[in-house]
Amino acid sequence: MQNRWAALLITTLIISPLNAQAAEYQGKNIDGQTFEATAYSYETGGLFEIQVRFKKRRATLYFANGGRQTIRLNQSIIADPKHIEGWHRGFLTIGGLLSIGVADNSDNNLQPPRPRPLEGFWRISLKDNPILQPSSP
């Protein structure tokens, strides 16, 4: 019985750091808050005016035309609000040789897409917001 509790405790300690943390900037939780921002698509070179909402390691980009895109952040702790990077889930190309991920089978084509290393990669730049200002000592 004691061994089961010890195993459970060890498993919990190992797994708990893997749980997604809330998105934060300078120690402030910014989950669920909406910010004005720009988003740059590395794939297309397009720059978009957006609103962005964070949730753990995800950011949902809301475009002016009503579209939206959810990306996975490279990090949940934001060091620079002008340079937040993430990618859209789907195929991930590894070394130009292998693609893994979820395929869109709408046209019955089961072949993975051609490698496009910047596909789905985004950079978000938050506009000035009082919550992002450094705390006074």
Side-chain angles (χ1 to χ4, degrees), residues 27-74:
K28 298 175 190 171
N29 180 338
I30 59 171
D31 270 5
Q33 297 182 46
T34 302
F35 298 92
E36 297 292 323
T38 57
Y40 174 75
S41 167
Y42 286 106
E43 178 180 0
T44 67
L47 186 64
F48 304 90
E49 293 289 326
I50 64 163
Q51 290 187 327
V52 61
R53 181 173 296 182
F54 296 97
K55 183 172 182 181
K56 299 186 181 185
R57 283 194 71 167
R58 292 187 307 268
T60 301
L61 290 54
Y62 297 92
F63 298 91
N65 68 0
R68 70 179 176 189
Q69 175 89 265
T70 298
I71 64 172
R72 179 172 169 80
L73 301 176
N74 288 347

Side-chain angles (χ1 to χ4, degrees), residues 99-120:
S99 291
I100 58 173
V102 179
D104 178 6
N105 195 18
S106 60
D107 61 359
N108 293 324
N109 181 3
L110 297 177
Q111 297 298 318
R114 294 182 197 190
R116 293 180 4 205
L118 298 177
E119 182 177 13

